């Protein structure tokens, strides 16, 4: 568990504990929303559709790492409560 946390910790630090990381996430999420709306309304260009796919893949990857990180942190907390 600790080795997994060690590998995931840099991702956590970058995206949640730095102003730049937070801004990147917010910008990407907002842009993805705008692009989704264009795709839904069938007004998106091929480039916008491609950009949406890239953002979707990148955000999915980042969220997957963060989800794993928080699950492992909670697992450690549960183990620590049992030990007490």
């Amino acid at each position: 568990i600790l080795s997994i946390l060690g590998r995931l910790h840099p991702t956590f630090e970058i995206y949640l504990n730095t102003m730049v990381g937070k801004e990147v996430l917010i910008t990407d999420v907002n842009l993805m929303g705008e692009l989704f709306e264009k795709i839904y309304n069938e007004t998106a260009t091929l480039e916008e559709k491609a950009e949406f796919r890239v953002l979707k893949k990148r955000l999915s990857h980042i969220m997957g790492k963060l989800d794993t990180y928080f699950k492992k942190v909670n697992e450690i907390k549960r183990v620590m409560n049992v030990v007490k």
Side-chain angles (χ1 to χ4, degrees):
I1 293 173
L2 292 177
S3 67
I4 293 171
L5 284 178
R7 285 194 318 264
L8 296 173
H9 189 72
T11 301
F12 174 80
E13 284 294 319
I14 290 169
Y15 287 104
L16 298 181
N17 288 338
T18 68
M19 191 58 117
V20 171
K22 289 177 186 177
E23 287 179 23
V24 167
L25 277 179
I26 291 168
T27 300
D28 284 355
V29 169
N30 288 337
L31 180 56
M32 193 172 172
E34 292 170 15
L35 292 170
F36 177 79
E37 192 172 319
K38 286 184 171 187
I39 291 168
Y40 179 79
N41 292 326
E42 298 180 356
T43 59
T45 64
L46 291 175
E47 291 82 12
E48 289 170 327
K49 291 177 183 178
E51 187 174 7
F52 178 85
R53 287 191 298 273
V54 169
L55 284 171
K56 181 179 174 189
K57 187 173 184 176
R58 182 170 65 204
L59 288 173
S60 177
H61 179 73
I62 293 167
M63 292 302 123
K65 283 187 165 193
L66 293 175
D67 183 55
T68 300
Y69 180 86
F70 286 118
K71 284 179 181 175
K72 295 300 178 187
V73 166
N74 286 331
E75 192 174 323
I76 289 172
K77 287 179 181 177
R78 281 194 303 277
V79 169
M80 295 305 290
N81 284 333
V82 170
V83 172
K84 287 183 180 178

